Amino acid sequence: MRYGFIGLGNIGRYLAASLQRGGFSLTVHDLNEAAAKPLLDLGAVWASSPRAVAEACDTVITCLPSPSATQHVLADKDGVLAGLEEGGHWIEMGTLGREEILRFAEMAQQHGVRTMESPVTGGVHLAAHGDMTILAGGDKDMFDTHLPAFKAMGNKIFHMGPLGSAAVIKVITNMLAFIHLKAVGEALMLAKRGGLDLAQAYQAIAASSGNSFVHETEGQLVLSGSYDIDFTVDLALKDLGFAMGFGREFGVPLDLAAQTMQTYIQAREVYGGKAQSPMIVKLLEDALKTDLRAPGFPAKLY
């Protein structure tokens, strides 16, 4: 199986590297050619356009930041669909809404190309070690075909059902993460204002029924003051927008998600959309003129 990989950003570069370490033939492309250099040094092949990637491969994987980027890479005259042969496979590993992945799949089908979605979750630090969780949606036979590649890129792989299923669960997991982050900030502020040692409070929460993955990971970046999770406020708002859309579609009131989205909107107004998503906690720190620093916590997760 000859794989192409397009989109070598914070997550994509590590997914592609894991695929390459797994022994798969790899052709790559990104708007920033320099992002491909570590892969090229290890034997990957550079292609000058998405179309050139597709012409060299059986399957093209994309990991892109927005629906507009996917539209461009997939459907432009030098896009993936112009280069993949009939019967080829396209796998999107970025986060899309359900209607978007279904629309793109229909476009691909018109070219004789089959589609699978496989968004990932867990954070950049897990991607770097090939330990991401992969949430796949699409035909079971296609999932089985690409399972070895998924195992190279991730640790836990779930086939969620037909195309569109993974979009729903990925948005749910991200929604929970953003809500948890807001809660973590409030909990740490209670500890600080209550006179507790924050490092000790962090450990106590981690060992308690109130623990969460977000507390264990992004909580550390709040306490170090870096907030640097390689995920922006704009991306958080995109995913929360998807969640609110699902809430309306499925008739589910999402009170906590709505409140959290308002917090992110405020963070964008204050710090800008490119600010790191944990900076919603800094809003609380600034409002109360109380920082949440503690010694011994890393600026980055590894």
Side-chain angles (χ1 to χ4, degrees), residues 143-215:
F143 172 78
D144 291 339
T145 295
H146 297 290
L147 185 57
F150 291 149
K151 287 182 175 179
M153 293 184 284
N155 180 26
K156 297 178 181 178
I157 298 98
F158 297 90
H159 182 228
M160 298 304 303
L163 198 66
S165 303
V168 176
I169 190 63
K170 175 59 192 298
V171 166
I172 289 170
T173 64
N174 278 12
M175 178 189 76
L176 284 169
F178 304 139
I179 292 170
H180 291 170
L181 180 58
K182 182 174 171 63
V184 164
E186 293 175 0
L188 291 175
M189 186 59 74
L190 276 177
K192 178 67 178 279
R193 285 292 188 98
L196 302 183
D197 178 280
L198 278 183
Q200 190 77 337
Y202 169 87
Q203 297 297 342
I205 293 169
S208 77
S209 59
N211 189 34
S212 69
F213 177 82
V214 171
H215 172 73

Side-chain angles (χ1 to χ4, degrees), residues 3-7 11-12 15-16 19 60-65 70 90-96 101 116-121 132-136 149-154 157 170 238:
Y3 283 96
F5 204 106
I6 301 171
I11 294 289
L15 295 174
L19 196 61
V60 174
I61 298 172
T62 54
C63 187
L64 300 167
T70 300
W90 167 54
I91 302 172
E92 173 60 86
M93 300 193 77
T95 301
L96 293 174
I101 190 64
M116 172 159 277
E117 54 176 344
S118 57
V120 296
T121 186
M132 293 293 274
T133 295
I134 296 177
L135 308 167
F150 291 149
K151 287 182 175 179
M153 293 184 284
I157 298 98
K170 175 59 192 298
K238 180 196 76 168

